[in-house]
Amino acid sequence: MICPSSSDEEVDDVQQQQQQAGQQETSSGGGGSHHHHQSANSSEQAVPASVTTASSGGRSIKSSEGVAVAAQNGSVTSLGGASPSPSIKSSEEDATLKQQREEEEGRRMRLQLYVFVLRCIAYPFNAKQPTDMARRQAKRSGKVNKQQLQTIKDRFRSFLAGETQIAADEAFCNAVNSYYEVFLKSDRVTRMVNSGGCSASDFREVFKNNIEKRVKVLPEIDGLSKETVLSAWMAKFDAIYRGEEDPRRPSNRLPASAASELILSKEQLYEMFQNILSIKKVEHQLLYNACQLDNIDEQAAAIRRELDGRKHAAEKIETQHRFPRFYCRNESEEELQRLYIDELRQQVALLMNNLESLPVSRGSSGRNYHLPGSKLSSLDSTEEDSLSKADVILQFALEVIVVEVQGLKSLAGSKIIYCTMETDSCPKLQTEPVEASRPIWNTTGDFTTTQPLPQVKVKLMTESTGVLSIDDKELGKVVIHPTPNSPKTPEWYFMQVHKNSADQQIRIKLTVKMERPLNMKHCGYLWAQGRSVWKKWKKRYFILVQVSQYNFVMCSYQERKAEPYEMMQLDSFTVDYTVPELDHEGGRAFFNAVKEGDSVMFASDDEQDRILWVQAMYRATGQSHKPIPPTQVQKLSDNKQDAPITQFYADRARKHGMDEFISADPCKYDHSSLYELLQRLTLDHRLNDSYSCLGWFSPGQIFVLDEYCSRYGVRGCHKHLCNLSDLLDRAQQGIMIDPTLIHYSYAFCSSHVYGSRPDGIGTVTMDEKQRFDEIRTRMKIYAMDQITRFRYCFPFGRPQGALKATLTLLGRVAMDEDPGPESGREAKVRELVRHCLKEAALVNYTRVSDYAKFDEMDSYKKLQVIIHLAELCIDVLQQNEEHHFEGRESFEWYSDLMVEHSETFWSLFAVDMDSVLEKQQPDTWDSFPLFQLLNDHLMGDERLKTGKFHSHLRDTFAPLVIRYVDLMESSIAQSIDRGFGKEVWDSNQSINVIASDILWKLQALQTFILDLHWPDTIFASHIEHRLKLTTSDMMQSMVARTLNRFKNLLQSCRISLDFRVTSQLCQLINVAIECRNQSQKICASGLDASGTQHIYHAVVDEILDSAFTEMQSLIVSKFNKVLEIVLSKMSRYDEGSFTASFLSLTKPGMELAVNFNQFVSINQDVILDRINDEVFVNSVFEKWYNTALKIFCDWLNLRSELQLHVYQLKTLIKVFKSFARDFALQGVAEIKTKTHTLIHKRLTVEEATASVTIGSLGNNITMKESDDEVGEDD
């Protein structure tokens, strides 16, 4: 395949300038190709100046780093003509010339490196593109940049402002608002975006974790599960996050961030590393074609030559004792040198086995064949494996197409003709019968044969119409001997006909295709003569067969034979062009294959055929020497279209200065330095793509880097040391790097240096040891800095698990530093973590308290600032618990250290808090909200409860609490004295308001003390006991003062029918009632500091009961005295008295009865309306009713021997019936008592007696119940 990057003419035009620049550079001493070829042929190892480093370190690549970076920033500038004389050159010209040289040197080095990378991609045989990377980074997604972050903020702001069409409830809006204020607007998120470690999945996961906690506390709703709510909220979040994007709109292509994580094709890998190494497409096309990257045979041969070169290089190091300096643990220098050589040989053996394990398809059957007993089991093995002729049987696919026949002149047009096709050991095939007038078929016949030189027979037949004819008649036949090199286009063949046939010029058009088996590398006719095989100079048909990756056989075949006639294994042979042999007849272009004790001379009839044969055998032998034709073919002329295209591309590459890069021997280069540059540039490219990688390479990049290390012998420790150095450099620049990745590389290097590798102990060079120590020191500083700034390095716990990985990394590094016992190393790790967390507390508090400037504020504003600062500190610790500790998994081994971290954090806050509280005015209580805020948080954390800061907070506020309680008690006592004093009684101020205010203060004081949730249980019990005792005493005082005032007011009232229960009396009663209601709450039972049970409200309840009883008795007594006055007035009408006859002449009316009834009714209404306790009212009514009836009964009993006067009878009946009815209406349960019955009977008898003497009483007054009486009374 030819790389279609650009046309050949475009390459020629574009590369002219580069060719001139290269020529000028060569002439000015810049290291041209001629010099390179000379150095490559020398016996010493020659490395370009830009790549020269220490024998195994590769750290002097620093200058070439700048070259590579400079070359990426712009095109290469040619050096121009000859430099002016040094005496007239200015410093600016020197700097420009030096920069141009460095740029050109960097370009050449990157081109050479790109050649090595191309070969790794073209024919990999060690590494594969990993598929676990996709699983490892499954939760990562596209990187979020600054512009995208601003867009996301705008979308959420629009949603909160109601500018979108997304319907949402209040709970979801609150969750989004919290997410927007806490997460999106956080400067830590902005810093994470700038570091390149923030992905879209991070935004989604933070919101999901937030709403999961919110939904968990929501009440259960029938028919709606919490999982459904979560799914609906996440769908709305996705809609807000996408903005106007329609999720149903199909995407035309895969995003670049996702495509980079897939398994890439070779073309995609080529393009990726073109961008990484700043290679132009035209340069890639030249290198691609000249290196024959699409020719797997050429690539496999190049690998075999490289491995052979590495094998000889190991032998050279051993013989010349050119060993690097080793780090000796317990081994001697000689043991390490021997182990080093064994490692080199094992590396080569492993690569050879990997290459040998690649299957070679046998023929066209698709089966794989491996040579048994491969010599690769031991590099020192010199025995050749015997190979039988049966092991090289090939399978060929033959395709015969019969197109048409011409020359059938004598045959009738209606005759039926057809063709048959046959070859050896295959069934005969036949075309469809057609009429002779139209002999066209285009019929294909497929055969499979094991004969390299098969014979194909095609016969033209006509059907016999005779009765006695058995077989059809043959009109002609043709015999063809196809080869894989035969033309694949249709050709005309003259058929052999019978002598007596009328048509002697019958032609048939056939296409005969013989497919080449995959393990057949070349074929054709050659003249040959050798010592052990082909001993006679003659022309034979040869096939070069690949039996396995390291076994090639040159076989000669005869016609119609499947097995080779003679064969020769090419192992250890060297092929090269040679001059013509005069004593051999036959053959024009000669070449030979030589090895110790044997040689074979070959000759072809064509120069181009010789070149193809030499190239194929050169790839098969694996020799280091590349044969060069005696005459180079510069261009393809019109009459030489059959010249090899590979030679054309090689000439073009040589023309444009690429030949030195293509022909460079990989064994002559320091690949440790080249790999360091390649990995650094690859990491830069990876960190700049649109995927949030956190330093992880893509599967394609890992594949190429691993293949490069394996193929070119880069030591694993050096590979990981370079990776660690690059990752630490990026991390120190503020780029987010996954600590798991750093730990992975560090663990490999640590196990290598300390001899704990799972595959056994390997050699460690001094350069590796020194570099490892430097990186270990850097890594310790890095890990401690990350843990110290964990809140800002891993904001909101992202990336997930990074903090835990950093702690693990620090533990590994710290333990490697200390070779002591396990317990001592663990203690050292704990001290490091303790130091980091102590510094973290200082960092976190400093960041939070930066805005709190107390210098220019008054004491009140300072207090408000410190309260807000406390809220921020609580938020910091809660976020640390929620996001950074991952359920305490990160610090599961250091839980006590986390308590120390929190205490240290609060101790820093305590300094500012104490300074603010000291400047507060005395006897001010604005600081209590600060105590409540901090105490509630600390009481909810079992680790910080009763800790150092909590104790300090308690000791600081305890005197304030005691002082506050003292002042409040004094204030309430003064309120009682003033509120229940004489001046208040004399004023119009409501006693209810005063009493309610005092009771509210008593309750508020107790509630305030309870809301403090004082941490010291003894002190809290003491304060509670004191407050309840004080409340009990004050309530007793209030009740006593209220009762005394009630007595005084009641005594001052005049006894008459005009007596009314005043509002002041009702207020006093209501005060007592309110005291009773509040006593159960504010005087509830409890324990004192000693644990003794106290029932504080019992004494208050006794006093209240006594007060209520006395109040009821006093007011009922007042009512009864009014009744007694009424009865005394009626006593003047007693029978036999002096005043009775005199008063009877005045004819008195019913005014007395009416006035008394009004007195009773009005006072009942007042009591009902103004007294707030129904029980008290009912009790007063019952007592009033019963005592009044007794007075009635006693008055009648005194007159049991007398007959009542008519006026007395009428008044009593009216009063009695109205009295009973009014109290029945007020809810008195037992109206018809025994006393009521006695009174009713007496009045009934008196009415009957009066009706006999004087007739009806008049005015519808009677003891009988009647509607008229009721109506009249109403």
Side-chain angles (χ1 to χ4, degrees):
M1 182 185 73
I2 301 175
C3 180
S5 300
S6 60
S7 63
D8 298 338
E9 292 80 4
E10 179 183 321
V11 176
D12 293 334
D13 295 338
V14 173
Q15 292 295 331
Q16 282 293 343
Q17 219 171 8
Q18 295 184 3
Q19 181 186 12
Q20 294 174 5
Q23 293 173 355
Q24 292 173 2
E25 181 68 23
T26 303
S27 63
S28 62
S33 60
H34 178 67
H35 173 74
H36 177 76
H37 284 300
Q38 289 180 349
S39 61
N41 292 329
S42 63
S43 60
E44 299 294 328
Q45 184 180 13
V47 184
S50 60
V51 194
T52 304
T53 61
S55 58
S56 64
R59 281 186 291 166
S60 59
I61 194 70
K62 183 176 182 180
S63 62
S64 59
E65 279 184 62
V67 173
V69 174
Q72 288 180 350
N73 295 332
S75 60
V76 178
T77 306
S78 62
L79 299 180
S83 301
S85 173
S87 60
I88 62 173
K89 284 197 300 183
S90 64
S91 59
E92 293 183 358
E93 293 174 345
D94 290 341
T96 303
L97 186 61
K98 182 179 179 180
Q99 181 181 2
Q100 291 175 350
R101 283 201 183 98
E102 290 178 348
E103 289 177 355
E104 177 62 19
E105 184 179 352
R107 183 187 74 88
R108 295 168 66 82
M109 182 177 62
R110 285 183 284 103
L111 281 171
Q112 184 63 72
L113 181 58
Y114 186 62
V115 171
F116 297 146
V117 171
L118 285 178
R119 290 173 176 166
C120 292
I121 298 174
Y123 197 78
F125 65 103
N126 297 287
K128 294 181 180 180
Q129 298 193 43
T131 57
D132 61 330
M133 296 299 299
R135 292 192 296 269
R136 182 184 294 125
Q137 297 292 330
K139 296 185 178 180
R140 309 297 299 171
S141 57
K143 186 189 301 181
V144 177
N145 54 33
K146 295 180 182 179
Q147 294 77 13
Q148 292 172 339
L149 176 61
Q150 186 59 43
T151 302
I152 293 170
K153 288 182 180 179
D154 294 340
R155 290 172 179 172
F156 278 87
R157 190 184 303 112
S158 299
F159 169 78
L160 293 174
E163 299 173 0
T164 63
Q165 301 298 322
I166 301 174
D169 53 12
E170 182 180 359
F172 178 76
C173 292
N174 293 336
V176 172
N177 184 66
S178 173
Y179 176 76
Y180 176 76
E181 294 292 336
V182 177
F183 180 74
L184 290 180
K185 294 176 67 175
S186 173
D187 57 341
R188 293 183 291 147
V189 173
T190 304
R191 190 179 296 108
M192 181 170 65
V193 169
N194 295 337
S195 69
C198 190
S199 65
S201 61
D202 290 324
F203 282 73
R204 198 173 191 273
E205 287 298 320
V206 170
F207 181 79
K208 185 177 180 180
N209 295 337
N210 185 17
I211 64 173
E212 282 177 349
K213 296 176 181 178
R214 288 176 174 269
V215 173
K216 187 181 296 184
V217 299
L218 291 177
E220 294 287 347
I221 302 176
D222 294 338
L224 183 63
S225 64
K226 293 185 177 180
E227 290 75 12
T228 304
V229 175
L230 280 175
S231 301
W233 282 17
M234 290 307 301
K236 293 178 182 178
F237 171 84
D238 294 336
I240 300 171
Y241 188 90
R242 287 192 302 266
E244 299 299 327
E245 300 176 8
D246 187 357
R248 296 170 297 178
R249 183 177 59 191
S251 178
N252 294 329
R253 61 176 182 173
L254 199 65
S257 60
S260 64
E261 306 310 304
L262 302 178
I263 304 300
L264 303 182
S265 64
K266 291 184 178 181
E267 288 72 18
Q268 291 171 319
L269 291 174
Y270 291 145
E271 183 178 1
M272 176 188 294
F273 280 89
Q274 284 179 58
N275 297 327
I276 291 173
L277 296 173
S278 300
I279 304 299
K280 299 179 181 179
K281 286 189 177 295
V282 291
E283 295 172 335
H284 165 73
Q285 182 195 14
L286 289 170
L287 295 174
Y288 181 93
N289 293 329
C291 291
Q292 304 180 50
L293 297 181
D294 56 341
N295 189 334
I296 60 174
D297 295 331
E298 175 63 29
Q299 299 308 310
I303 294 172
R304 290 191 289 270
R305 291 192 294 270
E306 292 171 5
L307 297 181
D308 187 65
R310 287 181 60 181
K311 179 181 176 182
H312 291 301
E315 296 173 354
K316 188 175 181 179
I317 292 174
E318 184 179 18
T319 55
Q320 297 182 1
H321 292 277
R322 298 175 58 183
F323 294 98
R325 294 175 56 224
F326 295 108
Y327 168 66
C328 301
R329 292 183 291 264
N330 298 318
E331 306 87 354
S332 63
E333 188 72 19
E334 291 75 12
E335 292 176 345
L336 292 175
Q337 291 177 358
R338 185 167 55 255
L339 182 59
Y340 181 74
I341 294 299
D342 292 341
E343 288 178 352
L344 295 179
R345 289 176 175 173
Q346 289 174 5
Q347 290 176 6
V348 176
L350 178 62
L351 296 178
M352 295 174 71
N353 281 323
N354 290 343
L355 181 62
E356 181 69 14
S357 65
L358 295 180
V360 178
S361 297
R362 184 180 184 184
S364 58
S365 64
R367 291 178 295 156
N368 296 331
Y369 175 78
H370 297 275
L371 181 64
S374 173
K375 67 170 184 175
L376 297 178
S377 59
S378 174
L379 288 178
D380 298 330
S381 176
T382 58
E383 298 181 0
E384 293 188 3
D385 299 299
S386 59
L387 200 64
S388 65
K389 295 181 179 180
D391 293 330
V392 291
I393 299 298
L394 302 175
Q395 290 185 351
F396 299 88
L398 277 172
E399 181 181 350
V400 181
I401 303 175
V402 179
V403 182
E404 60 178 319
V405 172
Q406 293 182 356
L408 296 175
K409 299 179 180 179
S410 62
L411 196 64
S414 59
K415 280 285 188 177
I416 302 299
I417 61 173
Y418 61 92
C419 292
T420 61
M421 300 167 280
E422 61 180 312
T423 185
D424 295 331
S425 68
C426 291
K428 184 187 296 187
L429 301 178
Q430 176 183 317
T431 66
E432 297 178 355
V434 298
E435 294 180 352
S437 59
R438 295 193 60 189
I440 300 174
W441 289 275
N442 286 323
T443 302
T444 302
D446 295 324
F447 302 92
T448 300
T449 181
T450 58
Q451 299 174 6
L453 293 174
Q455 176 180 288
V456 178
K457 293 181 181 180
V458 180
K459 297 180 180 180
L460 179 62
M461 309 292 290
T462 181
E463 293 183 353
S464 298
T465 57
V467 177
L468 299 178
S469 299
I470 299 175
D471 296 328
D472 293 337
K473 180 180 180 182
E474 178 184 324
L475 299 178
K477 69 177 181 178
V478 61
V479 180
I480 306 171
H481 299 277
T483 67
N485 297 332
S486 301
K488 303 297 189 293
T489 57
E491 293 187 352
W492 288 99
Y493 296 89
F494 283 98
M495 304 192 74
Q496 300 176 10
V497 298
H498 295 287
K499 296 180 180 180
N500 299 328
S501 175
D503 297 324
Q504 292 292 326
Q505 298 295 324
I506 300 177
R507 296 192 306 167
I508 186 169
K509 191 176 184 179
L510 300 173
T511 300
V512 182
K513 299 179 183 179
M514 189 173 182
E515 298 296 334
R516 182 191 301 267
L518 295 179
N519 58 339
M520 188 185 81
K521 301 307 175 185
H522 200 58
C523 65
Y525 285 94
L526 290 175
W527 299 79
Q529 183 180 11
R531 295 182 182 179
S532 57
V533 291
W534 308 306
K535 297 181 180 180
K536 184 177 180 180
W537 181 260
K538 62 180 292 187
K539 192 173 185 178
R540 300 174 177 85
Y541 184 76
F542 284 93
I543 295 179
L544 178 59
V545 181
Q546 182 179 8
V547 181
S548 66
Q549 290 291 344
Y550 265 89
N551 283 271
F552 293 81
V553 183
M554 194 74 169
C555 303
S556 62
Y557 288 88
Q558 294 180 343
E559 290 186 3
R560 304 175 69 180
K561 299 294 184 181
E563 294 185 356
Y565 183 72
E566 290 182 282
M567 54 185 289
M568 177 185 73
Q569 292 183 241
L570 293 182
D571 185 28
S572 302
F573 275 91
T574 301
V575 65
D576 202 355
Y577 298 94
T578 185
V579 297
E581 296 287 342
L582 300 179
D583 56 343
H584 288 104
E585 294 183 0
R588 292 178 52 246
F590 288 79
F591 62 97
N592 62 358
V594 181
K595 77 171 183 177
E596 185 177 355
D598 197 1
S599 66
V600 181
M601 178 67 70
F602 296 96
S604 66
D605 294 331
D606 182 74
E607 176 66 25
Q608 301 303 330
D609 193 24
R610 177 175 72 163
I611 294 175
L612 295 176
W613 269 108
V614 171
Q615 287 180 352
M617 295 180 68
Y618 166 65
R619 291 191 289 265
T621 58
Q623 63 193 54
S624 58
H625 168 68
K626 183 176 182 179
I628 300 176
T631 58
Q632 295 288 351
V633 180
Q634 299 297 330
K635 292 184 178 180
L636 289 176
S637 58
D638 294 338
N639 57 353
K640 291 186 178 181
Q641 292 296 325
D642 57 343
I645 193 66
T646 56
Q647 187 64 45
F648 169 70
Y649 290 129
D651 294 339
R652 290 187 59 198
R654 187 180 301 107
K655 172 184 174 182
H656 295 292
M658 300 292 177
D659 180 64
E660 61 175 302
F661 307 118
I662 299 168
S663 60
D665 185 3
C667 297
K668 305 294 183 180
Y669 282 80
D670 182 7
H671 288 282
S672 297
S673 302
L674 289 176
Y675 175 80
E676 186 172 359
L677 175 60
L678 175 63
Q679 181 175 258
R680 181 175 297 112
L681 296 178
T682 305
L683 182 60
D684 289 336
H685 179 271
R686 177 64 168 166
L687 292 175
N688 290 327
D689 66 13
S690 60
Y691 188 81
S692 178
C693 65
L694 304 180
W696 291 91
F697 289 119
S698 68
Q701 292 168 344
I702 290 180
F703 157 68
V704 174
L705 293 175
D706 289 349
E707 182 68 23
Y708 188 99
C709 291
S710 300
R711 180 164 176 170
Y712 296 114
V714 179
R715 290 170 64 89
C717 184
H718 175 78
K719 167 189 172 182
H720 287 282
L721 286 173
C722 294
N723 191 30
L724 284 174
S725 179
D726 290 341
L727 292 175
L728 289 176
D729 289 341
R730 303 311 186 281
Q732 292 170 356
Q733 295 170 7
I735 299 175
M736 183 75 74
I737 300 297
D738 190 352
T740 303
L741 175 60
I742 298 178
H743 194 182
Y744 171 75
S745 293
Y746 177 80
F748 182 92
C749 297
S750 176
S751 62
H752 174 77
V753 172
Y754 293 112
S756 57
R757 287 168 49 178
D759 56 346
I761 299 176
T763 57
V764 182
T765 65
M766 286 301 299
D767 185 80
E768 291 173 347
K769 180 63 170 63
Q770 293 171 2
R771 195 170 187 185
F772 173 76
D773 292 340
E774 295 173 2
I775 289 177
R776 184 181 60 193
T777 303
R778 290 180 60 192
M779 193 172 300
K780 178 181 176 182
I781 297 173
Y782 161 77
M784 292 180 66
D785 178 71
Q786 293 289 100
I787 297 173
T788 300
R789 299 186 302 110
F790 67 86
R791 177 174 169 82
Y792 305 95
C793 294
F794 313 109
F796 298 93
R798 318 306 299 178
Q800 188 175 3
L803 178 57
K804 184 176 182 179
T806 305
L807 280 167
T808 306
L809 175 62
L810 178 61
R812 176 66 182 269
V813 173
M815 286 190 173
D816 287 346
E817 280 188 339
D818 190 358
E822 187 75 17
S823 58
R825 291 190 293 173
E826 291 180 356
K828 182 178 179 180
V829 174
R830 289 183 59 83
E831 288 301 319
L832 287 176
V833 175
R834 175 181 284 109
H835 174 75
C836 292
L837 293 178
K838 185 177 180 180
E839 294 297 321
L842 178 60
V843 170
N844 294 344
Y845 184 73
T846 302
R847 294 285 185 92
V848 172
S849 62
D850 279 344
Y851 83 99
K853 307 298 181 183
F854 304 111
D855 299 336
E856 300 178 358
M857 296 181 183
D858 57 19
S859 59
Y860 178 76
K861 290 184 177 179
K862 288 182 180 179
L863 184 60
Q864 298 305 312
V865 171
I866 204 68
I867 291 175
H868 184 54
L869 182 58
E871 293 174 348
L872 295 179
C873 291
I874 292 173
D875 290 341
V876 167
L877 293 181
Q878 287 178 345
Q879 288 178 9
N880 290 348
E881 180 72 21
E882 178 181 355
H883 299 294
H884 298 286
F885 302 156
E886 302 160 11
R888 300 186 180 92
E889 291 182 4
S890 296
F891 292 95
E892 57 184 347
W893 296 329
Y894 312 106
S895 57
D896 56 333
L897 301 184
M898 282 309 305
V899 176
E900 294 182 16
H901 163 77
S902 300
E903 291 288 357
T904 305
F905 182 82
W906 282 121
S907 67
L908 297 172
F909 172 80
V911 176
D912 290 336
M913 180 187 71
D914 293 343
S915 64
V916 171
L917 293 179
E918 288 174 359
K919 297 179 181 179
Q920 295 297 306
Q921 297 295 327
D923 294 341
T924 55
W925 322 114
D926 297 330
S927 60
F928 279 122
L930 175 62
F931 174 83
Q932 288 180 302
L933 176 67
L934 295 173
N935 186 63
D936 290 346
H937 168 70
L938 296 173
M939 291 293 288
D941 192 338
E942 293 296 332
R943 300 173 301 168
L944 300 179
K945 185 178 179 181
T946 67
K948 293 181 180 179
F949 177 72
H950 203 184
S951 300
H952 174 76
L953 185 70
R954 177 196 63 199
D955 297 341
T956 301
F957 279 88
L960 295 177
V961 172
I962 295 174
R963 176 63 176 167
Y964 178 75
V965 171
D966 291 342
L967 293 178
M968 285 298 296
E969 288 179 351
S970 176
S971 174
I972 295 172
Q974 293 176 7
S975 298
I976 293 175
D977 290 338
R978 291 194 302 269
F980 290 85
K982 186 176 182 304
E983 62 275 7
V984 176
W985 302 125
D986 296 338
S987 66
N988 294 325
Q989 188 174 359
S990 175
I991 191 64
N992 277 348
V993 175
I994 298 173
S996 298
D997 182 65
I998 293 173
L999 293 174
W1000 177 85
K1001 287 181 180 179
L1002 291 172
Q1003 184 178 1
L1005 179 59
Q1006 291 191 20
T1007 303
F1008 169 74
I1009 296 300
L1010 290 176
D1011 290 343
L1012 289 179
H1013 302 121
W1014 194 261
D1016 187 358
T1017 56
I1018 296 177
F1019 181 81
S1021 299
H1022 168 72
I1023 292 294
E1024 182 182 0
H1025 176 64
R1026 173 183 171 179
L1027 289 178
K1028 289 186 177 181
L1029 284 178
T1030 302
T1031 302
S1032 177
D1033 294 341
M1034 291 183 178
M1035 291 186 70
Q1036 293 177 36
S1037 175
M1038 289 173 59
V1039 172
R1041 291 169 183 262
T1042 300
L1043 182 59
N1044 291 333
R1045 179 58 181 168
F1046 184 85
K1047 290 178 180 180
N1048 295 333
L1049 282 176
L1050 202 58
Q1051 289 177 0
S1052 63
C1053 294
R1054 189 171 61 90
I1055 302 174
S1056 68
L1057 290 172
D1058 296 331
F1059 170 72
R1060 303 289 185 267
V1061 178
T1062 63
S1063 60
Q1064 287 186 340
L1065 291 173
C1066 293
Q1067 288 179 6
L1068 293 172
I1069 296 174
N1070 288 334
V1071 168
I1073 292 171
E1074 184 66 21
C1075 290
R1076 185 184 61 186
N1077 294 337
Q1078 295 296 330
S1079 66
Q1080 297 292 335
K1081 299 179 181 178
I1082 59 180
C1083 294
S1085 60
L1087 301 175
D1088 60 9
S1090 63
T1092 304
Q1093 180 76 21
H1094 291 271
I1095 305 177
Y1096 303 99
H1097 62 86
V1099 178
V1100 178
D1101 290 345
E1102 291 177 2
I1103 295 176
L1104 284 171
D1105 292 342
S1106 175
F1108 283 134
T1109 301
E1110 190 170 356
M1111 285 180 175
Q1112 292 172 5
S1113 300
L1114 289 173
I1115 196 169
V1116 169
S1117 175
K1118 201 74 171 178
F1119 292 151
N1120 290 335
K1121 287 180 180 179
V1122 174
L1123 176 60
E1124 289 173 355
I1125 292 174
V1126 172
L1127 292 177
S1128 65
K1129 289 181 179 182
M1130 288 190 299
S1131 299
R1132 292 179 295 180
Y1133 290 90
D1134 289 340
E1135 182 181 6
S1137 66
F1138 173 75
T1139 58
S1141 58
F1142 178 75
L1143 292 175
S1144 299
L1145 299 176
T1146 62
K1147 296 182 179 180
M1150 302 302 297
E1151 290 83 1
L1152 183 62
V1154 171
N1155 291 337
F1156 182 79
N1157 289 339
Q1158 288 179 354
F1159 160 77
V1160 172
S1161 177
I1162 290 173
N1163 282 288
Q1164 284 181 341
D1165 293 339
V1166 170
I1167 292 173
L1168 282 172
D1169 292 341
R1170 295 186 179 182
I1171 296 179
N1172 301 328
D1173 188 69
E1174 184 178 355
V1175 175
F1176 180 84
V1177 171
N1178 291 335
S1179 178
V1180 169
F1181 284 167
E1182 288 178 0
K1183 193 169 187 179
W1184 184 6
Y1185 177 74
N1186 291 326
T1187 55
L1189 289 181
K1190 187 174 185 306
I1191 292 172
F1192 274 120
C1193 188
D1194 292 342
W1195 189 83
L1196 290 174
N1197 289 335
L1198 291 175
R1199 293 159 179 78
S1200 59
E1201 301 299 330
L1202 301 176
Q1203 183 179 358
L1204 295 180
H1205 190 271
V1206 174
Y1207 173 74
Q1208 289 177 327
L1209 180 61
K1210 293 172 64 176
T1211 302
L1212 284 175
I1213 291 174
K1214 190 171 185 67
V1215 169
F1216 175 74
K1217 293 184 66 176
S1218 177
F1219 191 79
R1221 184 170 61 250
D1222 287 344
F1223 279 96
L1225 292 175
Q1226 299 303 332
V1228 176
E1230 193 175 357
I1231 295 296
K1232 295 182 178 181
T1233 62
K1234 183 177 180 181
T1235 306
H1236 177 274
T1237 304
L1238 291 174
I1239 296 171
H1240 189 273
K1241 287 181 179 180
R1242 173 70 183 273
L1243 293 178
T1244 303
V1245 171
E1246 291 289 341
E1247 181 186 8
T1249 303
S1251 62
V1252 171
T1253 58
I1254 63 174
S1256 175
L1257 296 178
N1259 295 329
N1260 293 325
I1261 296 175
T1262 179
M1263 289 300 295
K1264 297 179 180 179
E1265 297 291 340
S1266 63
D1267 294 338
D1268 294 339
E1269 181 185 11
V1270 173
E1272 182 182 351
D1273 292 341
D1274 293 341

